[in-house]
Amino acid sequence: MSVAIHQIWPPRSAGPLDAAAIEQLYTYPDGDWLAVNLVCSADGAVELHGTAAELSNPADQHVLRLGSDLADVLLVGATTAMVEAFRGQHPDDQTVRRRRRHNLSSVAPTAVVTTGVSLPANAPVITDALVPTIVVTPTSTPPALRSAWADAGATVLVCGDHTVDLRRARVLLADRGLRRIDCEGGPHLVGALLAAGLVDELRLTISPTLVVGTAGRITSGPLIPPAALTLHSVVAAQDTLMLRYLTATPPITAGG
Ligand SMILES: NC(=O)c1ccc[n+]([C@@H]2O[C@H](COP(=O)([O-])OP(=O)(O)OC[C@H]3O[C@@H](n4cnc5c(N)ncnc54)[C@H](OP(=O)(O)O)[C@@H]3O)[C@@H](O)[C@H]2O)c1
């Protein structure tokens, strides 16, 4: 592990977490679980110059990678898939070994939520993927576009009328054995997932930087009744804080 990560909460007296301990901490519980993984600046910006790249750092990348390595499926909104240049998972040997240890398929597919506006059929997340990307879209999406996604290699799941019915989408993913979901954004999708009561966990990296500006927050959409969070763990790498919050208090069994 190239970055020294210390556990702050729950308190732990030993030195930095070794690779096995941090992997164990970020292992998903068995069964259905949806974790949202986001990074923001200390003043709350979710992007800088249009993407999250300049907010991230090796420590954030380390836990982000654990999120995808240990999940059944990645979930993103169409805008994030495009601006963050998603191209499906291309696992290196470490990821393949890690996924084998956890009895996961060698490559986690990516699922993209879209009405069709922001996801062309030649999107790299479809054309560059090693395993078929799952496009989740409502019935209002033009059939020609659905066919074009499929012709480009995607698996197309249809649910909802004019927007994706996210509850139904989760069921359709679970039907395919994709139960541990690593959602990597963006704010509109996360807001919709929260409104639908589908988020089990928030994994939030606070980047040690202030940027001012007018960037959005980690969530976007209509107000929801305030959702209380339970602090599950805090780890730090130098000045970067990586928090895990649960939206309820279900038992976390596998990862501790
Ligand atoms: N800091 C971070 O960790 C992080 C993570 C991810 C993204 N970001 C940043 O966030 C920004 C993008 O924000 P965003 O909120 O627009 O991204 P987003 O949530 O990834 O994408 C929004 C799009 O997702 C689709 N979508 C979401 N919910 C849907 C639903 N229920 N039904 C159908 N389609 C749905 C729609 O696509 P269609 O338009 O195709 O219908 C919608 O326009 C970028 O600057 C990106 O860099 C930051």
Side-chain angles (χ1 to χ4, degrees), residues 39 46 50-51 77-80 84 113-115 118 164 184 186-189:
V39 59
V46 77
T51 78
T79 306
T80 293
E84 301 284 349
V113 178
T114 180
T115 64
S118 310
V164 168
E184 296 193 0
H188 281 92
L189 178 59

Side-chain angles (χ1 to χ4, degrees), residues 31 72 118 166:
D72 292 317
S118 310
L166 294 168

Side-chain angles (χ1 to χ4, degrees), residues 55-197:
L55 299 174
S56 188
N57 60 28
D60 175 55
Q61 288 297 311
H62 190 85
V63 297
L64 190 67
R65 176 172 172 175
L66 285 171
S68 56
D69 279 4
L70 297 170
D72 292 317
V73 61
L74 264 71
L75 179 68
V76 290
T79 306
T80 293
M82 296 305 291
V83 304
E84 301 284 349
F86 274 62
R87 48 190 290 272
Q89 294 295 291
H90 292 254
D92 62 14
D93 289 348
Q94 186 189 26
T95 291
V96 170
R97 283 197 303 276
R98 180 177 280 150
R99 291 183 66 80
R100 207 172 279 148
R101 266 202 316 279
H102 289 263
N103 294 318
L104 293 159
S105 65
S106 53
V107 184
T110 302
V112 185
V113 178
T114 180
T115 64
V117 173
S118 310
L119 189 74
N122 66 356
V125 72
I126 296 173
T127 58
D128 289 2
L130 293 179
V131 296
T133 288
I134 299 167
V135 177
V136 193
T137 201
T139 54
S140 57
T141 303
L145 181 55
R146 284 190 244 158
S147 299
W149 285 326
D151 291 346
T155 299
V156 181
L157 302 181
V158 179
C159 58
D161 297 331
H162 296 286
T163 59
V164 168
D165 176 341
L166 294 168
R167 286 181 169 275
R168 179 77 189 131
R170 190 168 179 181
V171 171
L172 293 178
L173 292 175
D175 287 347
R176 294 170 171 266
L178 306 174
R179 295 180 171 280
R180 288 159 290 190
I181 302 173
D182 171 40
C183 176
E184 296 193 0
H188 281 92
L189 178 59
V190 171
L193 289 166
L194 281 163

